[in-house]
Amino acid sequence: MPDSIEFKINIADEAVREILIALLSAAGANGFEEEKGVLKAFIPADECDASGVEEIIKENNIKYSKSVINEKNWNAEWESDFQPVLIGDFCTVRAIFHAADNKVKHDIVITPKMSFGTGHHATTHMMIEAMEGLDFKDKRVFDFGTGTGILAILAEKCGSQNVTAIDNDAWSINNATENFNLNNCYSVLLSKQEGFCSGTCYDVILANINRNIILQQLDQIKQHLTNNGVVLLSGLLTGDEPVIIAEALRQNLVLQQKWEMDGWICLLMANG
């Protein structure tokens, strides 16, 4: 299996750390671990040029170290620290070695490896929380940047039998496939691609990505949304809200609801 590059970044300021996560995500980092005073960022060595990530760290004058780890080491480290995520009585996200929680509506098993999306980060947590209020029964769903596949899995568990999930990262595609199988999700159509490539319209579009990609793709999101469709956007910092709202209004997308957590936001928008 491919090696991965680990950046161990010394950073104690929470606000700066969250901004750095957003910047590094956009530069190709798709796995993170947060410890006291330390942020670890991971990049698949065979999929991404790490120089862009390293340049961002240097530009912010932050001390860091870089090393190469293999999949076995990553899994061992993840398994030693991973704790289940509980979101009310709606959903739990756990590893296969944790016992199932029979008190929640939806029990999701995830092996994240190097992919983003375990429910621990505020953006994924808010996306799941927001999905509880949506009607997925018989709805056509598009998961833009699926990562671990967690949101596509939840969409199917909530009643959708027509879920399309995409990601531009081969590692994420492999990881999502594994997680779909772990959760007995067989109706999700998964493909490696950059964005929409068909004229199909969707009732629900899920986009937990980052500000730049969302701004680039809002027109396509609008074009691929049904008349009564809704879109959930996250991967956004609180400071991103004004520019996202402005572009959404230009696309005739109307803000319905907002969630905020740890300096991040999640926006529910509907076709205007």
Side-chain angles (χ1 to χ4, degrees), residues 221-249:
I221 288 173
K222 165 67 177 182
Q223 291 179 33
H224 289 83
L225 201 61
T226 59
N227 289 336
N228 297 316
V230 296
V231 56
L232 268 179
L233 304 174
S234 197
L236 302 168
L237 293 162
T238 53
D240 296 330
E241 184 178 354
V243 68
I244 295 293
I245 295 296
E247 179 60 28
L249 288 174

Side-chain angles (χ1 to χ4, degrees), residues 250-268:
R250 280 192 285 271
Q251 301 297 336
N252 200 26
L253 293 170
V254 180
L255 180 65
Q256 301 267 299
Q257 195 170 352
K258 180 179 78 171
W259 293 260
E260 186 170 342
M261 183 179 181
D262 298 336
W264 297 86
I265 55 173
C266 176
L267 306 175
L268 173 64

Side-chain angles (χ1 to χ4, degrees), residues 54 83 144:
E54 195 161 8
Q83 295 298 319
F144 198 143

Side-chain angles (χ1 to χ4, degrees), residues 3-14:
D3 290 337
S4 298
I5 300 173
E6 176 194 78
F7 288 90
K8 191 173 183 180
I9 308 161
N10 298 323
I11 182 167
D13 188 297
E14 182 176 343

Side-chain angles (χ1 to χ4, degrees), residues 24-25 28-32 42-44 113-117 169 171-172:
L24 296 181
S25 296
N30 61 359
F32 295 94
F42 300 90
I43 300 96
K113 296 186 177 177
M114 298 302 297
S115 301
F116 181 78
D169 175 59
W171 186 270
S172 293

Side-chain angles (χ1 to χ4, degrees), residues 95-268:
I96 196 167
F97 49 83
H98 293 131
D101 187 343
N102 297 320
K103 297 179 181 179
V104 298
K105 294 178 182 176
H106 305 295
D107 180 54
I108 298 178
V109 181
I110 291 292
T111 301
K113 296 186 177 177
M114 298 302 297
S115 301
F116 181 78
T118 62
H120 290 84
H121 194 271
T123 57
T124 310
H125 191 286
M126 288 186 294
M127 290 288 287
I128 294 173
E129 184 180 355
M131 287 173 70
E132 182 176 10
L134 301 182
D135 177 17
F136 285 92
K137 186 173 176 56
D138 300 324
K139 296 295 192 297
R140 191 183 295 269
V141 179
F142 190 87
D143 183 16
F144 198 143
T146 195
T148 59
I150 185 172
L151 301 182
I153 291 167
L154 183 57
E156 181 177 314
K157 288 180 178 290
C158 287
S160 174
Q161 294 302 308
N162 195 324
V163 182
T164 298
I166 70 164
D167 206 293
N168 63 1
D169 175 59
W171 186 270
S172 293
I173 294 297
N174 292 335
N175 189 195
T177 299
E178 180 179 345
N179 290 328
F180 293 157
N181 291 333
L182 280 173
N183 290 274
N184 299 313
C185 290
Y186 303 115
S187 67
V188 180
L189 177 63
L190 176 67
S191 64
K192 183 176 183 294
Q193 62 191 62
E194 295 285 342
F196 298 92
C197 63
S198 72
T200 303
C201 287
Y202 300 89
D203 303 297
V204 181
I205 295 177
L206 308 169
N208 184 20
I209 318 174
N210 62 61
R211 164 184 162 148
N212 291 340
I213 295 177
I214 287 173
L215 286 173
Q216 292 168 7
Q217 295 289 333
L218 264 179
D219 62 333
Q220 288 295 306
I221 288 173
K222 165 67 177 182
Q223 291 179 33
H224 289 83
L225 201 61
T226 59
N227 289 336
N228 297 316
V230 296
V231 56
L232 268 179
L233 304 174
S234 197
L236 302 168
L237 293 162
T238 53
D240 296 330
E241 184 178 354
V243 68
I244 295 293
I245 295 296
E247 179 60 28
L249 288 174
R250 280 192 285 271
Q251 301 297 336
N252 200 26
L253 293 170
V254 180
L255 180 65
Q256 301 267 299
Q257 195 170 352
K258 180 179 78 171
W259 293 260
E260 186 170 342
M261 183 179 181
D262 298 336
W264 297 86
I265 55 173
C266 176
L267 306 175
L268 173 64

